[in-house]
Amino acid sequence: LTGSRKHLDLLRDQAETLAREIDESPHGWIEDYPGECYPVDVLGAIVAIHEADAVLGTDRSAFVRRAFRAFEKECLDRSVNLPPYSASVRTGRPSSPSRGCGNSYAIWLCTRVWPEVAQRWMDLYVQHFWQRRWLFDGFREWPSHLPGNDWYADVDSGPVVAGHGFAACAFGLAAARATGRFDLARPLATEALATSWPLPWGTLLTPRLLSNATDAPYLGEAAMLWVLVQQPRPGVPARTGGAVSGYVFVLLGVYLGFGSLLVVRAVRRVRLLWSGRV
């Protein structure tokens, strides 16, 4: 953005050493923390290394091709043929099932390096994770064949309500848009916008409240902006359509009722002031 070359040496060293560590690993995975490997984070590193080429003038396309070994065959959760949430670096096998919070991010990342694979993963993601339940449309945190996980929460998934994962749906909007699935993006976007509670002066109330007021007050709003502006790459077919879920109309009713209550109270207050009774 600035044209500064101040940190290019640091970027080059990080890209080279990280690519070497991933390339030399037995199965293409490395650990985030001692004893903990999350394949989607490895995919994030692969994308970052690939996109550093444009800045550094390097070509690591061979590394990117070889890195795909960590996201095929036995490295996948074979019940859904999608990347697992966590895995064993030693054995090269999943250590937990595929989850929505990982898939939504992984599919968006995949469009940056293996776009054809991203389209295939999105089809599988919809098949095993998309649901319409109660008044909601969205992605489940756990695949539909794993019962008993409809109410859950952790630091990655956020709250899971009736099976729908907050992170899975939020970042699933970015994945849907990046793969041309605007039929899925429409219900997700309208739900996200309704939940954000837009205020008259432009602030999104819910994302602002969920952000760190001291160090990152705009984090939630920045995330909303990011997911809403993702576009498919040229040549990716767009699937349009999609319905607005009942949840959106319920929230709009709540907004209208709350706003009407404020207006009534304000009018009543003005009338009392005008009559001199206050």
Side-chain angles (χ1 to χ4, degrees):
L1 291 175
T2 65
S4 170
R5 303 177 64 83
K6 178 180 178 181
H7 300 292
L8 283 190
D9 288 342
L10 174 61
L11 176 62
R12 181 176 290 104
D13 177 69
Q14 289 185 330
E16 289 176 354
T17 54
L18 186 54
R20 185 182 310 119
E21 186 175 355
I22 294 172
D23 207 38
E24 293 175 353
S25 64
H27 305 285
W29 288 332
I30 58 176
E31 294 180 337
D32 290 52
Y33 313 100
E36 297 183 37
C37 170
Y38 302 97
V40 67
D41 293 343
V42 178
L43 180 53
I46 293 166
V47 171
I49 292 166
H50 166 69
E51 295 192 345
D53 281 346
V55 179
L56 299 173
T58 52
D59 180 7
R60 293 191 175 85
S61 56
F63 160 76
V64 172
R65 287 193 297 271
R66 174 170 162 76
F68 185 64
R69 65 193 171 109
F71 299 93
E72 61 178 349
K73 300 177 181 177
E74 289 76 13
C75 293
L76 299 175
D77 174 356
R78 300 303 290 173
S79 67
V80 292
N81 284 320
L82 289 166
Y85 173 70
S86 62
S88 168
V89 169
R90 182 179 59 83
T91 65
R93 297 292 185 273
S95 57
S96 70
S98 184
R99 289 176 53 179
C101 62
N103 288 328
S104 290
Y105 187 39
I107 291 170
W108 176 82
L109 286 167
C110 197
T111 63
R112 318 295 293 181
V113 285
W114 310 306
E116 297 82 6
V117 175
Q119 300 297 131
R120 185 167 71 248
W121 283 0
M122 175 54 81
D123 290 341
L124 292 167
Y125 194 25
V126 173
Q127 178 184 342
H128 296 288
F129 287 82
W130 184 263
Q131 75 170 11
R132 171 171 291 180
R133 186 175 180 188
W134 293 0
L135 299 174
F136 302 91
D137 294 283
F139 290 110
R140 294 179 54 83
E141 175 59 24
W142 302 86
S144 55
H145 69 268
L146 291 179
N149 295 294
D150 287 353
W151 303 92
Y152 176 82
D154 68 22
V155 68
D156 290 332
S157 68
V160 176
V161 180
H164 294 97
F166 270 43
C169 290
F171 294 101
L173 173 53
R177 290 181 60 88
T179 54
R181 292 301 304 268
F182 293 97
D183 57 326
L184 307 178
R186 184 185 184 193
L188 289 172
T190 52
E191 289 172 355
L193 288 170
T195 305
S196 68
W197 200 307
L199 299 178
W201 48 88
T203 297
L204 301 181
L205 179 62
T206 307
R208 184 69 66 88
L209 291 175
L210 294 175
S211 300
N212 186 307
T214 302
D215 297 318
Y218 302 108
L219 177 62
E221 290 167 293
M224 283 285 294
L225 176 62
W226 180 80
V227 298
L228 287 168
V229 300
Q230 298 305 309
Q231 295 291 338
R233 294 198 169 193
V236 174
R239 294 177 59 174
T240 57
V244 178
S245 67
Y247 166 76
V248 174
F249 295 105
V250 170
L251 269 188
L252 291 178
V254 171
Y255 293 161
L256 181 61
F258 183 72
S260 299
L261 178 62
L262 292 179
V263 170
V264 169
R265 289 176 63 88
V267 170
R268 190 172 296 168
R269 181 75 173 175
V270 169
R271 292 178 62 183
L272 289 172
L273 288 170
W274 186 264
S275 65
R277 294 161 60 186
V278 174

